[in-house]
Amino acid sequence: MASYKPVAIPAHPRLGEKVTQDALYWRGYKTPVQIKEFGAINKIDFSPVSPYNYAVTASSRIHIYGRYSQEPIKTFSRFKDAAYCATYRDDGKLLVAGSEEGSIRLFDISGRAPLRQFDGHTKAVHVVGFLSDKYRIFSGGDDYSSNLWDIPSATEIVSYNEHLDYVRCGCASKLNADVFVTGSYDHTVKVFDARTEKSVMTIEHGQPVESVLLFPSGGLLVSAGGRYVKVWDVLKGGQLLVSLKNHHKTVTCLCLNSSGQRLLSGSLDRHVKIYSTTSYKVVHSFDYATSILSLALSPEDETIVVGMTNGVLNVKHRKPEESKVKAQNKRRPAYRTFVKGRNYMPKQEDFYVSKPGKCVLRKYDKLLRSFQSSKALDAVLEPQIRLYTPEVTVAVMQELNRRGTLRSALAGRDEKQISLLLTFVTRRVIEPRFTPILVTVADMITDIYQPVVGQSALVDKQFLRLQEAIGKEIDYQEELLEVLGMMDALFATLTKKKTSSLEENKSNGLTKTLEQDMSN
């Protein structure tokens, strides 16, 4: 008796996302470290100087973490209520934060008690930051005002009351020490100049603004609110360049990478999207466990930190390059070691001993070998196979059809098994690589179980879904055939034009030749 040959699984081209340089780059992070905070994390800010510690604002505390530490190396807790928006100065020596009680506190990184306290807002201050001259602070609060403060004298320089709702985000220009931007729940983004008494530009975002960001060049402004991320050209008076709608829920935070060539956005839909700043297309995305409130990327993109609504801090570190270099430098056996003896031809006096390779059969192959068709079909309908390797399921169905036992394997099934079969067929029948065999399977299921239609609501629902899927596919194929016909007509017209022009050129040349002969 001949030995059993396992079922041949046909190789199909993989249908998946194209592996780009961006995908390889952003996948180069280690498994994330999870740190639990006391409340929702509303702000993460990296120190601009080495060793690039980062400040995390959550509940009534500000924790300073080292790049690789899982415990805070410093804590600022002199707040009666919630703290907001702890932000580093450009030299990394000072830290400023707003609070629920309406005061702004300035901290020295080396100390614990506040150096200055700025009082002037009547409600919570959700946004604070340093201007690029390092001696002034801007702030925005729930009292609809945007203020400018002098650090040495701890006094208010100017207050702007132009917003009509809560001011919840802001940023300062790195090129101009007098310019800063605020975003509000009144759907507007305003650009202020400390040398004027009013805002110099108002941009209508169209949704409550959750985050704003200025590019390092100062020419482009990004605003996020609702499901939209919008890019504006400041130099053209606030002209809209592009509107991005890639999130399913509110976008809460924005961030640029170290080179400024990639824009990151975090949302309540649990995703971080990464855009190219040249094409503004999504080049990669990260998925997280819960809704995202804050996001920060360290200098040189070494660490990405995400703060979530449940108080969990998710920290990803880039994999070190040194290990790869060491692995490459490790001495390996020479090429001749691997090919040694491969091309050796046995001589006449040699005694040749063949060593048969051991063939390990899969579960479905063992069942097919023992002619248990129904159980073999059950084995390939298990979730691990039918969801991740559907080609195996279809290959076994094809083998059963070749043997003539497919109908008996499909028959005699209960409501749950029929529903499972119909779900698989409905989902995969529209894939060209599976269509031929699955159409046969669908015909057989319909023939076998037609007498019991109407007895089970679940099975009836699956039959209707199958009918709808096949109907849609037929409509789609008809549309494609119409397009193909149009293209054939166009190509035929182009061919006729080319041939007619060639004939005309030939006739013109013949006429000229005859005229020359007559004149001669």
Side-chain angles (χ1 to χ4, degrees):
M1 183 179 174
S3 61
Y4 173 80
K5 292 182 179 179
V7 176
I9 310 298
H12 296 285
R14 279 191 173 274
L15 305 175
E17 62 175 9
K18 187 178 178 182
V19 179
T20 61
Q21 289 297 320
D22 276 289
L24 293 173
Y25 180 80
W26 294 104
R27 283 176 187 167
Y29 287 94
K30 297 179 185 177
T31 305
V33 176
Q34 307 274 0
I35 302 171
K36 186 74 174 88
E37 283 288 343
F38 292 96
I41 300 162
N42 61 73
K43 177 72 174 180
I44 303 165
D45 192 51
F46 271 91
S47 172
V49 296
S50 185
Y52 307 122
N53 298 332
Y54 56 95
V56 177
T57 313
S59 185
S60 60
R61 302 183 183 190
I62 301 168
H63 285 153
I64 308 295
Y65 288 90
R67 189 191 290 189
Y68 298 104
S69 67
Q70 296 185 27
E71 294 292 333
I73 57 177
K74 198 175 191 63
T75 301
F76 298 102
S77 56
R78 302 294 181 92
F79 295 92
K80 296 177 183 177
D81 210 328
Y84 298 113
C85 197
T87 308
Y88 277 100
R89 196 167 73 171
D90 286 345
D91 57 5
K93 294 180 179 178
L94 295 181
L95 190 75
V96 66
S99 64
E100 184 67 32
E101 60 262 25
S103 62
I104 302 163
R105 291 178 173 85
L106 182 70
F107 296 94
D108 186 347
I109 292 301
S110 58
R112 288 192 178 274
L115 291 178
R116 296 278 190 279
Q117 181 165 321
F118 306 89
D119 296 310
H121 286 281
T122 57
K123 290 186 179 178
V125 180
H126 280 266
V127 54
V128 287
F130 292 93
L131 294 186
S132 56
D133 63 4
K134 302 180 185 178
Y135 299 110
R136 287 178 292 176
I137 293 170
F138 71 91
S139 63
D142 287 355
D143 56 1
Y144 311 167
S145 66
S146 305
N147 296 359
L148 205 59
W149 309 85
D150 181 58
I151 294 176
S153 61
T155 56
E156 181 183 292
I157 300 171
V158 63
S159 178
Y160 301 97
N161 294 285
E162 297 188 26
H163 283 295
L164 304 175
D165 208 332
Y166 300 153
V167 181
R168 288 295 173 91
C169 56
C171 62
S173 170
K174 293 186 177 179
L175 294 180
N176 192 325
D178 294 307
V179 174
F180 67 98
V181 182
T182 57
S184 169
Y185 280 6
D186 64 2
H187 301 191
T188 64
V189 176
K190 291 187 181 287
V191 181
F192 295 98
D193 190 322
R195 295 164 293 190
T196 62
E197 295 180 356
K198 292 193 298 184
S199 61
V200 294
M201 188 183 298
T202 300
I203 295 170
E204 187 69 35
H205 179 81
Q207 301 280 342
V209 183
E210 299 284 351
S211 182
V212 290
L213 180 70
L214 266 173
F215 273 66
S217 64
L220 297 178
L221 172 68
V222 187
S223 61
R227 294 168 58 190
Y228 295 90
V229 175
K230 296 185 178 182
V231 184
W232 312 86
D233 191 334
V234 178
L235 302 178
K236 289 186 178 180
Q239 179 183 336
L240 179 63
L241 289 181
V242 65
S243 179
L244 308 170
K245 191 182 178 183
N246 296 99
H247 288 283
H248 302 297
K249 292 185 180 179
T250 302
V251 183
T252 54
C253 48
L254 297 169
C255 172
L256 276 173
N257 76 331
S258 54
S259 66
Q261 295 179 351
R262 295 292 179 266
L263 173 68
L264 286 76
S265 65
S267 168
L268 296 180
D269 64 4
R270 305 183 296 106
H271 287 88
V272 171
K273 303 280 185 185
I274 303 169
Y275 308 88
S276 165
T277 53
T278 52
S279 63
Y280 292 105
K281 291 182 179 178
V282 176
V283 295
H284 195 66
S285 65
F286 292 111
D287 189 12
Y288 288 89
T290 54
S291 300
I292 297 165
L293 281 183
S294 51
L295 165 71
L297 200 59
S298 70
E300 300 175 1
D301 305 339
E302 286 294 324
T303 310
I304 181 168
V305 186
V306 169
M308 292 175 273
T309 51
N310 61 354
V312 171
L313 194 67
N314 186 293
V315 186
K316 289 181 180 179
H317 299 290
R318 183 165 290 284
K319 294 173 184 175
E321 298 290 333
E322 296 174 10
S323 58
K324 295 181 183 177
V325 174
K326 285 180 182 177
Q328 288 173 0
N329 293 337
K330 186 180 177 182
R331 188 177 175 186
R332 293 191 176 98
Y335 176 71
R336 63 176 180 272
T337 307
F338 297 104
V339 297
K340 186 177 180 181
R342 180 174 291 180
N343 299 322
Y344 178 79
M345 296 297 292
K347 298 175 183 177
Q348 191 172 1
E349 62 270 16
D350 288 342
F351 181 74
Y352 182 73
V353 179
S354 61
K355 185 180 179 182
K358 189 177 180 181
C359 181
V360 180
L361 296 179
R362 304 265 183 179
K363 183 180 177 181
Y364 55 83
D365 275 319
K366 290 177 182 177
L367 293 167
L368 285 171
R369 187 174 63 176
S370 57
F371 304 102
Q372 301 182 52
S373 306
S374 186
K375 288 185 178 179
L377 186 58
D378 289 338
V380 292
L381 285 173
E382 290 177 0
Q384 196 66 26
I385 296 178
R386 77 169 188 271
L387 294 177
Y388 301 106
T389 53
E391 60 273 10
V392 175
T393 307
V394 175
V396 170
M397 288 178 175
Q398 195 165 4
E399 174 64 17
L400 291 172
N401 188 45
R402 188 188 66 80
R403 293 183 179 192
T405 56
L406 181 58
R407 181 177 283 272
S408 61
L410 292 170
R413 295 180 174 270
D414 58 20
E415 179 186 43
K416 188 177 178 182
Q417 291 173 327
I418 299 168
S419 176
L420 189 67
L421 265 170
L422 286 171
T423 303
F424 178 79
V425 173
T426 304
R427 185 177 177 186
R428 300 293 180 179
V429 74
I430 59 174
E431 295 187 29
R433 53 183 180 157
F434 301 144
T435 300
I437 183 63
L438 289 184
V439 166
T440 307
V441 173
D443 284 341
M444 287 186 181
I445 293 172
T446 307
D447 290 342
I448 294 167
Y449 296 103
Q450 191 176 1
V452 298
V453 171
Q455 295 180 15
S456 168
L458 181 63
V459 174
D460 293 350
K461 189 177 179 181
Q462 293 296 339
F463 271 119
L464 288 171
R465 283 184 179 173
L466 178 60
Q467 183 185 8
E468 185 183 355
I470 293 173
K472 283 183 179 177
E473 185 64 19
I474 291 170
D475 293 341
Y476 179 59
Q477 294 290 343
E478 286 177 354
E479 288 177 13
L480 287 176
L481 286 171
E482 288 176 9
V483 173
L484 188 61
M486 294 176 194
M487 291 172 71
D488 286 340
L490 285 171
F491 291 143
T493 309
L494 289 170
T495 309
K496 284 179 183 177
K497 283 183 180 178
K498 284 181 181 178
T499 53
S500 61
S501 62
L502 284 170
E503 287 173 2
E504 190 178 339
N505 289 337
K506 284 179 182 177
S507 62
N508 290 339
L510 184 61
T511 307
K512 286 177 183 177
T513 307
L514 288 170
E515 286 176 356
Q516 287 174 2
D517 292 341
M518 291 287 288
S519 61
N520 292 333

